[in-house]
Amino acid sequence: MFADLRGYTALTQSLEPAALTALLDAFYDDCAAAIWRYDGLLNKTIGDAVFAIFNFPVRQTDHAVQALLAARDIQERFARRRDELLRLIGSGALEVGIGIGIDSGETNFGEFGQTHRDLTAVGTVVNRAARAQAAARSGEILVTSAVRDRAGDLVAGEGAEHKLKGFQQPVMLFAG
């Protein structure tokens, strides 16, 4: 699962560093709380985004459900904090929100690099989740067919094909 703070880049050009720090602190804290609540591992914070893994280190048969519930929790926490954050960044600020993408499948998880070791997951499933997040609008959760298949009734409705960067074939994404 990838979650990205929308509008952040534009805000960096107009907000004081203290306000940017407070915004990122709130975003990271809310993401971490939701991810941990649903037994995920917050693997990385990447600027104004987070990368979480579910089904590691403890294997879970319902990991796709857990990831989806965590994503919904992140969106709900942000919605509850919205007025506070808008006061912090100013009412005239650009729209701010969160876009989330989730995929499910096999990854390669371990330490990579020779001189600098980095513990992370890599592979197509990670790339597809990142690209689904990039396609998600503010306030939206996009999940792949693999997540929809594993999450059952939690993902309803028709999907839409998306041309994702780096993927030759369109990828079917569903609102989560």
Side-chain angles (χ1 to χ4, degrees), residues 136-147:
R137 295 182 308 262
S138 180
E140 189 173 38
I141 301 166
L142 291 179
V143 304
T144 63
S145 297
V147 173

Side-chain angles (χ1 to χ4, degrees), residues 12-28:
T12 63
Q13 299 171 49
S14 61
L15 288 184
E16 294 295 320
L20 287 172
T21 298
L23 178 61
L24 275 181
D25 284 348
F27 171 69
Y28 288 158

Side-chain angles (χ1 to χ4, degrees), residues 50-167:
V50 298
F51 171 33
I53 303 287
F54 293 79
N55 205 29
F56 182 87
V58 177
R59 309 257 316 144
Q60 302 168 333
T61 58
D62 65 344
H63 61 274
V65 170
Q66 297 296 87
L68 181 55
L69 293 174
R72 289 177 177 176
D73 193 356
I74 289 168
Q75 294 291 20
E76 290 168 8
R77 288 170 188 265
F78 184 80
R80 285 194 302 268
R81 245 194 230 252
R82 186 168 174 66
D83 290 340
E84 169 194 342
L85 293 173
L86 288 176
R87 278 193 301 280
L88 174 72
I89 62 177
S91 59
L94 299 170
E95 183 65 25
V96 64
I98 300 171
I100 300 176
I102 308 171
D103 193 13
S104 180
E106 295 295 318
T107 64
N108 188 358
F109 194 89
E111 286 188 308
F112 300 93
Q114 295 297 314
T115 58
H116 170 76
R117 304 293 285 175
D118 188 25
L119 181 66
T120 195
V122 297
T124 301
V125 69
V126 174
N127 294 334
R128 200 168 23 242
R131 299 302 188 232
Q133 172 272 127
R137 295 182 308 262
S138 180
E140 189 173 38
I141 301 166
L142 291 179
V143 304
T144 63
S145 297
V147 173
R148 187 216 42 207
D149 293 347
R150 289 184 167 128
D153 293 342
L154 287 177
V155 179
E158 296 297 315
E161 286 188 342
H162 289 258
K163 180 67 178 141
L164 302 181
K165 180 181 174 185
F167 288 85

